[in-house]
Amino acid sequence: METTLRGVGVSHGVAIGEVRHMGTAVLEPPAKQNPAQDTEREQGRAHQAVKAVSADLIARGNLAGGEAQAVLEAQAMMAQDPELMADVERRIAVGSTAERAVYDAFASYRALLAGAGEYLAGRVADLDDVRNRIVARLLGVPMPGVPDSDEPFVLIARDLAPADTALLDPTLVLGFVTEEGGPTSHSAILARALGVPAVVALPGAGELAEGTLIAVDGSSGEIFVEPSAEKRSALERVAAERKAALTASSGPGTTSDGHKVPLLANIGGPADVPAAVEAGAEGVGLFRTEFLFLDDSERAPSEEKQVEAYRQVLTAFPEGRVVVRVLDAGADKPLQFLTPADEPNPALGVRGLRSLLDHPEVLQTQLTALARAAEGLPVHLEVMAPMVADRIDARAFAEACRAAGLRAKYGAMVEIPSAALRARSILREVEFLSLGTNDLAQYTFAADRQVGAVSRLQDPWQPALLDLVAIAAEAAKAEGKSCGVCGEAASDPLLACVLTGLGVTSLSMSATAIPYVRAALATYTLAQCERAAAAARATDTADEARTAAQAVLSGE
């Protein structure tokens, strides 16, 4: 008998297939003691395992590219966290084996953060996955993971570890469903990067029996269990219609009446450029530079190394726009040479621009490298700072850009509510704004993006978040400057139309989302987008906002 379940749709498309569950195992090593004379050897084993796991995560990220690369690089940083390693060494010194010390140190860190309600508390899947990979390597046992199958299937999991998700084979994994996560969780980001339908935050997903036939609608968030032949046909027809619309869509982003909305790509390094070019990206709206800083956690990369990497990306978009975000370290991306090791709440501490202003030599080297990389190229380079809170931050960044001789526009990311509320003040120091809707939602609602229990507050359709976007866009218009969106909100085709109606001047997203957004924008006029935006803001919940916007755009 057909039944319908509803989670949060995070990646467009329809998948129909049998259920396969993610393999799980509790990798808890025995609590045996090691002789005192083995302390140095055990500490060496722990360091070697951490180094190997970190290198493996980075290698997987390089293979996967795109959004997955940035996520895995953050995990690699987590593996090398100096406080965690210091705890591991202390435990070994008092008699634990390397594997038991790692297990207990991670458990202690996890419990501490969960009890304090801090930023990393919700990153259970990431934190546990790093621990399991280190322990598995020390024990010499394989990691549980994606099931083996000769036939395509729909993957079901409590949550998905980025290292597994990044290298999923889309020809076998038709789609996936998770119990945890939210619209901006790592599972959601990686699903969009892979281009597979996905639904997250579905309570009881793990209870679906192995081999059960289900249909996953990644747009609506609906799961149809044992769907009828009629339902399968209807879903396949809708999927075919969407594919046809994507095929017919090409060229620059524009509404049906000719209002231009440049569609840009979010990238994590040079490896992501081909997919962005193939998708028709008009440039790069978010070039994450963290990948360059992972080879050595104790020092920043040389200026020459940075120049080489930046120039690879800049040359790929002649006459195009490339927006580079300077190093965004801290919180879930700690760097030993840059971020404090003893912060009680990393999310609200010294991260992003704050870290760079505390270490001006790191910022100066990066800005100088960008200036050199752009020399002689026709590209339109723009550089922006993460975690700008107010005009003082914006002025400090602008002064650093000028001191480095950077011939580029310099801007500020709006990820903190204060930056949206005082956007006009900030724009007196910088030349553009870029809204990071993931963090902006997180800080607006005090809701960690990795915690499924608060996923409704991470929904980018929340009217309060739309209000902040509108405030920033209106400020930019008043100052005659641009205001783009580079958060995951831009990858939702319907929401992209609403953002356009709010006054956003460009949209940046994963390469796989660009055709969907281009097709949606081409369907409506600017006036329709503006009416949809007004209708969404007039509501009180995310669901009401989405429904109201859809009603306007469908002519109801």
Side-chain angles (χ1 to χ4, degrees), residues 284-296:
V284 174
L286 173 60
F287 177 11
R288 302 181 182 92
T289 58
E290 288 75 38
F291 75 101
L292 278 167
F293 293 78
L294 289 170
D295 288 345
D296 188 342

Side-chain angles (χ1 to χ4, degrees), residues 125-328:
D126 292 9
L127 192 65
D128 287 354
D129 182 57
V130 170
R131 177 202 64 200
N132 285 346
R133 289 180 185 279
I134 297 171
V135 171
R137 182 170 288 273
L138 288 165
L139 291 174
V141 300
M143 271 289 295
V146 179
D148 291 327
S149 176
D150 295 328
E151 298 297 326
F153 59 91
V154 176
L155 183 63
I156 306 292
R158 185 183 65 79
D159 205 342
L160 286 170
D164 289 321
T165 315
L167 298 180
L168 288 178
D169 182 353
T171 63
L172 279 178
V173 181
L174 302 173
F176 64 76
V177 180
T178 67
E179 293 192 41
E180 295 294 325
T184 60
S185 68
H186 288 160
S187 297
I189 292 171
L190 295 178
R192 286 189 284 269
L194 286 167
V196 298
V199 171
V200 301
L202 178 68
E207 297 173 12
L208 291 168
E210 189 86 359
T212 302
L213 182 68
I214 65 171
V216 179
D217 188 332
S219 299
S220 68
E222 291 174 304
I223 306 293
F224 304 97
V225 182
E226 299 291 359
S228 65
E230 292 78 12
K231 174 62 72 175
R232 293 199 299 271
S233 295
L235 288 170
E236 288 167 350
R237 184 171 61 254
V238 169
E241 290 171 356
R242 289 173 183 165
K243 187 175 181 180
L246 294 180
T247 303
S249 173
S250 62
T254 178
T255 59
S256 62
D257 58 340
H259 175 73
K260 293 182 179 180
V261 187
L263 302 181
L264 312 171
N266 294 342
I267 69 170
D272 302 340
V273 168
V277 172
E278 184 179 352
E282 297 168 62
V284 174
L286 173 60
F287 177 11
R288 302 181 182 92
T289 58
E290 288 75 38
F291 75 101
L292 278 167
F293 293 78
L294 289 170
D295 288 345
D296 188 342
S297 65
E298 296 184 2
R299 61 183 62 84
S302 69
E303 184 178 314
E304 292 301 325
K305 181 178 180 179
Q306 293 189 54
V307 170
E308 180 183 356
Y310 301 148
R311 197 167 179 88
Q312 287 182 58
V313 175
L314 296 178
T315 54
F317 294 95
E319 304 293 340
R321 177 185 179 199
V322 175
V323 185
V324 179
R325 182 182 70 190
V326 295
L327 176 63
D328 184 14

Side-chain angles (χ1 to χ4, degrees), residues 445-500:
F445 296 102
D448 193 305
R449 57 194 280 191
Q450 293 299 112
V451 179
V454 294
S455 61
R456 76 173 185 85
L457 297 173
Q458 265 291 335
D459 192 325
W461 280 94
Q462 283 285 352
L465 187 64
L466 299 181
D467 287 344
L468 291 174
V469 173
I471 289 169
E474 288 163 6
K477 183 177 181 181
E479 293 293 321
K481 296 178 179 179
S482 63
C483 177
V485 167
C486 64
E488 286 300 309
S491 65
D492 178 338
L494 179 61
L495 186 51
C497 296
V498 167
L499 294 172
T500 299

Side-chain angles (χ1 to χ4, degrees), residues 83 109 112-113 118 329-331 339-351 354-355 358:
E83 279 295 296
Y109 188 48
L112 175 67
L113 292 174
E118 297 178 0
T339 49
D342 56 352
E343 287 189 299
N345 194 335
L348 304 181
V350 182
R351 60 169 298 198
R354 299 167 185 175
S355 296
D358 278 354

Side-chain angles (χ1 to χ4, degrees), residues 415-479:
E415 302 167 283
I416 304 173
S418 64
L421 295 169
R422 300 292 295 173
R424 195 160 185 179
S425 170
I426 287 172
L427 282 165
R428 294 193 176 109
E429 303 292 344
V430 296
E431 300 172 85
F432 69 93
L433 299 177
S434 184
L435 289 125
T437 51
N438 303 350
D439 268 330
L440 185 58
Q442 178 165 257
Y443 288 121
T444 298
F445 296 102
D448 193 305
R449 57 194 280 191
Q450 293 299 112
V451 179
V454 294
S455 61
R456 76 173 185 85
L457 297 173
Q458 265 291 335
D459 192 325
W461 280 94
Q462 283 285 352
L465 187 64
L466 299 181
D467 287 344
L468 291 174
V469 173
I471 289 169
E474 288 163 6
K477 183 177 181 181
E479 293 293 321

